[in-house]
Amino acid sequence: MCGHSSGMMGFPLRLLAREVYDRVRAIKGDRQVALITGEERIEPPDARYFLCTAEAMPRTTGEVAFVGLDEAQLGADPERGHIFADRLLHARGREETMILGSATLEPMVKALIPKAEITSRPRFSTLSHAGICKLSRLPRRSAVVAFSVEQVYAMAEALRRFRGGAAVVMGALSPETRNKQVAMFQAGEVDYIVATDAIGMGLNLDLDHVAFASLSKFDGRRKRRLTPSEMAQIAGRAGRHQRDGTFGTLSGMAKGDGEPLQFTDEEVYAIEEHKFAPLTHLFWRDADPRYDSLGALIADLEARPRKQVLKAAPEAIDLAVLKRLAADPIADTVKGAGSVRRFWEACSLPDFRSLGVEQHARFVARLWDDLQGGYIGADFVAARIAELDRMQGDIDTLQGRIAAIRSWAYICQRPDWVLARDEMAARARAVEAKLSDALHARLTERFVNRRTTLLMKSLGQDAGALPVTLEPDGHLTVEGESIGRLEGFRFHVDPSAGVADRRMLLAAGEKALPALLAERAEWLLAQGLAELAISGGAIRWQGRALAEITFPGQPGAGHFGTPRLALTRDLALLPDAAKTKLEAGLAAWLEKELEPLEPLRKLAEAARDPAAGSQARALVITLIEARGVISREEAGLENLPKEMRPYLRKLGVTFGALDIFDAPLLKPAPRRLLHALGLDPRPVQEAMLPVLAEGSWAKGRLPAGYRYAGSQAIRVDLAEKIFRAAFEARAKVAEAHPKERGRPFRVDLALAVSVGLEADNARRLLGSAGFRCERARPLAEGAFGPAAPDRWFWRPRKPGDREERRPPARHDNKGKPRGQRPAGGGQTPSRPPVEGVKRGPRPAQTPARPPLDTGPARAGGAFDKLADLFKR
C-alpha cells in the first residue's frame, strides 16, 4: 500500500487496524494517514492512506490507488461474514486490489472474481503436535487457549501459582487492555498467556507452544467442536517466521465421557500439513438496501443472494433489533427515506455490552427518542460519560464499564448524532483509556505475581547471577520486587507471600544471602559497632541476637572471668571466614563494653586468691552472687576476722550499718550492664537516682541497689552517708559526756532532705538503723523564739528481736486519722523544758507529748558490734 500514491485497508479487529496505522504513520507521517473505526476516527484533511475496520471501511471503487482486505475468509463467519463478503465483492482500488486470507478462500475468490491472480505464501516454520502436557510443566513462552471466561480465569490462577502468572486476552477486553496484556507478554514480564480464540486473529506473538484447555466452544447457537481450520488458526500462533512451534492439549481437561482431551489423527495431520477443507460458501446480505420504508428495508436485508456460492446471512443482532422495534409504536415515528436510513444506522449500533436483542433494543429505542428530533445534547452525553468515569470495582465491573463507554464512543463518532462531537468523542476515548488502564492493573494484580515470575527465571542460574539487591531499609529485592527482609542477619520471607511461594522465596534468598551477609558483617565491624547493644544476655543488632554471652563456671563459685560468645542461628548462612572475623570483632567490642564491671572482676580474683582466707573469700563470693549489694544479716560477719576488713576495703567493699556493698557497682552503667547480661534479674533503675518516689516501682519489686525508706526508696550508698552522719553526731555527744549513757543527741536531716528524702521518711530510714526520734513540742500558741530540736536516741535491736512496726492509723467516720491535729488550729503538744531557757507562763491548755517514732514499718539490719564500723 505504501508503494502507491494512496490506499485503504480493512481489518477484522480495531487493534490490528491501530497497529498497522502506527506503522504506516511512521513511514508516511501523521498528516497523510487516517484511522477509521467504529469507536475512533483520526482523519487529517490531507489523508491519503486509510486504515479501517471492515465495518467502517467505505465501499470505495477507484477512489484510492490501492485497496486491501485482511482475513477475507471471515466471509464465512455467520455474524460478520456478510461485511467481508461485500468488501470482497465491491471494494476496489484504482491500481491494485489485494485480498488477504487463508488458502481455504481460494475457491470462493475464483468463483466470485474469475480474473483474480492467486498468490500463495508458504509457512517458513514447522508446526508440530506435542501431545498432552501438564499445566505445571508447561514450557516457557506458551499460550493456553480456553473458550469461557471461567476457564480462562481458572487457568490464569493456576499459572500464577505454578509459574508466577500469565497475561490474559479475551474478546470482552477493550483493545487497549488487550494490547497492554500482550505487551506485558512480549516484554518478557510473564512467560505465559491465557486467551480465548481471540488470540487466533490479529495478534502477532513470540509463542513457542499453544496448549488447548478445550476443543469445543459455544458459537452463539450450540456448543460444537472446533473445525480443523479454526484449530490451525489458533495453533498457528506458535512459531514466528523461521522459528518452529508446537501445539497440544492440557492434561486433566477430560471430556464429559472421561476420555482425555486430545486431537484426532486427522486433525493433527490437517494442522501440521496445512490442508483444510475449502470454503463452500460465503454469507451475504444486501449492503445497499432500499430506505423507502421499514418494511422495504427489512425485505431487502432478508433477501437471498443470486449467486450459488453466497448464502443469506443468519439474522444478526442489528437486523433482529430492527425487526423488534419495527413491531413497536416507535416505528410510527420513522417516516421518509432519510428517517428510515437514520433509524437503521441507530439499530446498527454494535452490542458491545452483549446484552442480547431485548435489552439492546431498549437502549436503541432510548437513543432514537433523542435522534429523531435532531442531535443528542452534549450535556446529556457528558453526563453519561461522567457516570462511567469511575475506576473502582473488580474485573467484571470494569469490563462492563468499558463496554458501555465503547457504545458512547461509537455514538460520538457518528457525524450527525451528537452536538460538540469532537469534544464528546475525546472525552469518551479518555475515559476508555483510563478504564483500560485500570482493567489492565486489575488483571495484572490478580493473575500476575511478578516476583514469582522473576524468581522462576533466575533460580536456574548460578547463585552469583541471581539479581538480588539489599536495599538500605533491609529489604531484599529482585529487580525491584521484594522477596523478604533482613533483620540483623536473619532473613524473613515477605509475609504477603502465599504458602506455595514461601519455599521458592526462601530458596532465592538463601542463594544470595552468603555474599550479602558477608558484606553486612564487614560493614558492621567497620561502621556499625555503635548500633550494637547488650540485652537479655546476648549481643543484639536491629533487635536480633547475634551471640549469646555466657561466663565460665558458676557465679556462686566466684567465677566471673572472660565471657564466652556462642553465635546464634541467625549467622548460620554466614561464610566461615566472615563468621570467624565477626566473632573476634564482637569479642573485642564486648571486652570494652564490660569495663564498668571491673570491680566485680576484682572481687572474682579475690575469691580465687588462697591468701585471702576462707572467711573473706566466702563473704566475697556471697557479694558476687548478690551482684555487689548484700544486707549485713545475710553476710555472716560474725565469721569474718576483723583483721580482714582492711583487705576487703581495699577491694572497694563498704561495711555499712545495714548493707555491705561495692560502691562502684551502684553506678548506672554497671547496674544496667548486669541486668542486660541477665546476671541480675531484679528490676534496674536506669539512672540510679538517689531517691525513688513512692509508686515508681512495681509492688514487691524494688530495683537493685535500693532499700526502703518509709514510702520512698534510697540508694544504699546514700543511705550509708546518712547513717554515718547520725553516728558521728552521737559520737560527739558521747565524747563530750563520757559518763552519761543514753544521752540524747541531735541529728541534722539536711543531708537526707537534700538528696530528696522527705523528713518523715528520713526519720523512718534512721529508725531502720536503731535511731529513735523524740519529736520536740512545737511552740505554744503566742510563744516566740526558735523551735526546740528533736531529740535522738540510739536503741538498736538485739539479734533475735522482732521488728517493731508502726500500727496502722485508725480513721474516724470522716476519713481523717484519729489523734491528728487539725490544720490551722486546735491543741498543740507541749514541749519538754530545755536547760538554760526561761519559760513564760504555761498556757492553760497544753497538748500531751507525742509518742516516740519507732521507725519504719519495713526496718531491718544487724546492730550488734557496730562500734567497730568507725575504727580506723
Side-chain angles (χ1 to χ4, degrees), residues 37-325:
T37 68
E39 302 129 83
E40 190 173 10
R41 192 179 189 93
I42 304 173
E43 190 174 4
D46 301 330
R48 294 188 293 120
Y49 301 92
F50 301 84
L51 293 311
C52 319
T53 53
E55 285 81 356
M57 182 182 181
R59 299 177 74 216
T60 179
T61 303
E63 285 141 7
V64 292
F66 172 88
V67 167
L69 179 65
D70 191 25
E71 302 288 358
Q73 76 276 4
L74 286 177
D77 181 72
E79 184 71 23
R80 305 172 64 198
H82 62 277
I83 300 292
F84 286 84
D86 178 72
R87 302 303 184 265
L88 185 150
L89 290 170
H90 298 103
R92 296 291 182 268
R94 186 171 59 248
E95 300 172 1
E96 183 179 5
T97 300
M98 185 176 288
I99 308 298
L100 306 171
S102 169
T104 59
L105 183 64
E106 183 176 345
M108 296 294 98
V109 174
K110 288 181 176 179
L112 296 173
I113 314 172
K115 296 182 180 180
E117 178 184 352
I118 306 296
T119 304
S120 62
R121 292 287 186 268
R123 181 184 176 106
F124 293 143
S125 60
T126 300
L127 186 63
S128 57
H129 182 233
I132 302 175
C133 177
K134 288 184 178 181
L135 186 67
S136 59
R137 297 184 178 179
L138 202 63
R140 291 177 55 194
R141 310 308 294 171
S142 295
V144 176
V145 180
F147 296 96
S148 69
V149 174
E150 293 79 8
Q151 198 172 36
V152 167
Y153 287 174
M155 294 296 101
E157 289 278 11
L159 283 172
R160 184 183 188 277
R161 294 196 302 271
F162 295 139
R163 290 293 184 266
V168 174
V169 172
M170 298 183 294
L173 301 182
S174 68
E176 288 81 1
T177 305
R178 273 183 285 179
N179 282 343
K180 290 179 182 296
Q181 290 287 301
V182 169
M184 183 172 62
F185 174 80
Q186 290 292 89
E189 296 181 28
V190 292
D191 283 328
Y192 303 91
I193 187 167
V194 181
T196 60
D197 52 353
I199 194 178
M201 189 178 300
L203 292 178
N204 297 316
L205 303 170
D206 293 324
L207 281 174
D208 294 334
H209 180 76
V210 172
F212 288 77
S214 176
L215 293 175
S216 302
K217 76 171 185 177
F218 182 76
D219 63 2
R221 293 175 176 82
R222 62 187 177 89
K223 187 174 182 179
R224 62 173 178 83
R225 190 176 178 89
L226 300 174
T227 65
S229 60
E230 290 173 329
M231 294 175 182
Q233 182 77 21
I234 298 170
R237 297 299 97 186
R240 287 287 302 272
H241 194 52
Q242 297 183 358
R243 190 178 70 197
D244 296 338
T246 58
F247 68 96
T249 56
L250 290 176
S251 63
M253 302 292 171
K255 298 185 291 184
D257 55 5
E259 293 185 10
L261 181 70
Q262 56 185 340
F263 292 96
T264 65
D265 294 340
E266 293 79 5
E267 290 168 342
V268 171
Y269 173 79
I271 296 171
E272 290 183 342
E273 300 299 327
H274 311 293
K275 294 184 181 299
F276 309 105
L279 296 177
T280 58
H281 64 272
L282 300 180
F283 289 107
W284 176 87
R285 190 174 76 180
D286 191 351
D288 190 18
R290 294 170 297 160
Y291 296 105
D292 299 337
S293 65
L294 290 179
L297 173 63
I298 294 173
D300 285 355
L301 293 175
E302 292 184 328
R304 303 187 67 82
R306 297 177 182 178
K307 296 185 179 182
Q308 273 191 332
V309 295
L310 299 178
K311 288 180 65 174
E315 185 178 85
I317 191 168
D318 54 357
L319 179 56
V321 169
L322 174 64
K323 293 170 67 176
R324 168 69 179 79
L325 294 180

Side-chain angles (χ1 to χ4, degrees), residues 258-570:
E259 293 185 10
L261 181 70
Q262 56 185 340
F263 292 96
T264 65
D265 294 340
E266 293 79 5
E267 290 168 342
V268 171
Y269 173 79
I271 296 171
E272 290 183 342
E273 300 299 327
H274 311 293
K275 294 184 181 299
F276 309 105
L279 296 177
T280 58
H281 64 272
L282 300 180
F283 289 107
W284 176 87
R285 190 174 76 180
D286 191 351
D288 190 18
R290 294 170 297 160
Y291 296 105
D292 299 337
S293 65
L294 290 179
L297 173 63
I298 294 173
D300 285 355
L301 293 175
E302 292 184 328
R304 303 187 67 82
R306 297 177 182 178
K307 296 185 179 182
Q308 273 191 332
V309 295
L310 299 178
K311 288 180 65 174
E315 185 178 85
I317 191 168
D318 54 357
L319 179 56
V321 169
L322 174 64
K323 293 170 67 176
R324 168 69 179 79
L325 294 180
D328 280 357
I330 194 174
D332 298 336
T333 64
V334 183
K335 297 179 180 179
S339 182
V340 172
R341 178 188 289 271
R342 191 175 176 84
F343 187 69
W344 170 235
E345 289 173 349
C347 293
S348 299
L349 173 68
D351 184 16
F352 293 108
R353 292 174 288 184
S354 301
L355 298 175
V357 174
E358 190 65 30
Q359 293 286 343
H360 190 53
R362 293 179 186 175
F363 183 76
V364 172
R366 176 68 182 83
L367 177 66
W368 176 249
D369 287 340
D370 295 320
L371 288 178
Q372 65 179 336
Y375 291 88
I376 303 175
D379 292 343
F380 177 79
V381 176
R384 303 291 78 76
I385 293 174
E387 289 174 356
L388 300 170
D389 191 7
R390 293 181 290 119
M391 306 304 120
Q392 300 81 11
D394 57 12
I395 292 174
D396 294 335
T397 301
L398 290 174
Q399 284 184 227
R401 290 195 191 121
I402 288 176
I405 199 65
R406 290 182 70 187
S407 297
W408 285 106
Y410 183 95
I411 291 170
C412 293
Q413 289 301 327
R414 301 297 300 176
D416 57 347
W417 282 14
V418 178
L419 291 173
R421 186 192 74 171
D422 293 340
E423 180 185 350
M424 294 300 105
R427 288 192 185 185
R429 287 197 302 271
V431 172
E432 182 182 355
K434 290 166 63 178
L435 288 169
S436 297
D437 289 342
L439 179 57
H440 171 67
R442 296 291 191 284
L443 289 170
T444 303
E445 180 182 351
R446 178 171 174 181
F447 299 122
V448 176
N449 187 331
R450 184 170 181 269
R451 175 175 59 197
T452 304
T453 303
L454 292 170
L455 292 178
M456 291 300 299
K457 295 178 182 178
S458 304
L459 283 178
Q461 305 174 6
D462 294 334
L466 193 68
V468 178
T469 304
L470 179 59
E471 303 295 338
D473 60 357
H475 280 93
L476 263 64
T477 61
V478 178
E479 295 186 14
E481 293 293 324
S482 175
I483 64 173
R485 177 181 174 85
L486 270 181
E487 292 182 2
F489 286 80
R490 181 70 173 268
F491 175 65
H492 293 275
V493 174
D494 190 342
S496 65
V499 176
D501 294 339
R502 291 184 63 85
R503 183 178 298 177
M504 182 169 52
L505 294 181
L506 188 60
E510 289 182 350
K511 271 194 171 185
L513 277 178
L516 293 175
L517 294 182
E519 294 177 5
R520 178 163 265 211
E522 284 286 342
W523 179 89
L524 182 62
L525 294 176
Q527 305 177 40
L529 291 178
E531 298 180 12
L532 295 178
I534 299 174
S535 177
I539 299 176
R540 297 181 183 272
W541 183 48
Q542 295 183 352
R544 302 290 307 181
L546 300 183
E548 301 289 341
I549 305 170
T550 58
F551 290 88
Q554 297 296 324
H559 291 286
F560 191 84
T562 302
R564 294 175 182 171
L565 293 181
L567 299 183
T568 63
R569 294 179 60 186
D570 286 8

Side-chain angles (χ1 to χ4, degrees), residues 574-751:
L574 193 64
D576 291 339
K579 188 182 298 184
T580 302
K581 186 175 180 180
L582 179 62
E583 185 174 7
L586 293 178
W589 175 85
L590 180 62
E591 184 68 24
K592 187 175 181 180
E593 290 296 308
L594 292 181
E595 288 179 358
L597 298 184
E598 187 61 29
L600 202 58
R601 286 184 176 178
K602 290 181 179 180
L603 291 178
E605 292 173 3
R608 295 190 294 269
D609 184 5
S614 60
Q615 297 90 345
R617 287 165 57 196
L619 176 61
V620 170
I621 290 173
T622 305
L623 195 59
I624 293 173
E625 199 171 23
R627 306 305 175 211
V629 182
I630 189 172
S631 67
R632 290 180 67 96
E633 293 175 338
E634 300 171 356
L637 287 179
E638 64 276 5
N639 300 320
L640 180 67
K642 294 182 180 180
E643 58 271 13
M644 294 303 301
R645 295 192 180 189
Y647 169 77
L648 295 176
R649 289 192 178 101
K650 289 180 181 179
L651 294 175
V653 178
T654 300
F655 293 86
L658 299 181
D659 301 286
I660 298 174
F661 55 89
D662 193 330
L665 291 176
L666 294 176
K667 294 181 179 179
R671 293 323 308 180
R672 288 196 299 263
L673 195 53
L674 285 169
H675 186 75
L677 288 168
L679 298 175
D680 192 345
R682 294 173 292 178
V684 64
Q685 215 290 322
E686 292 289 335
M688 290 302 289
L689 298 174
V691 173
L692 302 182
E694 182 179 8
S696 61
W697 64 88
K699 185 176 181 180
R701 305 234 340 136
L702 191 66
Y706 288 84
R707 71 163 32 255
Y708 290 106
S711 61
Q712 294 176 288
I714 186 170
R715 211 169 63 207
V716 294
D717 57 337
L718 293 176
E720 182 57 28
K721 288 184 179 181
I722 296 173
F723 294 149
R724 286 186 178 274
F727 277 115
E728 289 174 358
R730 173 177 172 269
K732 289 180 180 179
V733 172
E735 185 179 354
H737 304 276
K739 296 182 180 181
E740 297 185 29
R741 299 187 62 183
R743 187 176 179 86
F745 53 92
R746 300 177 184 177
V747 176
D748 189 357
L749 298 180
L751 174 60

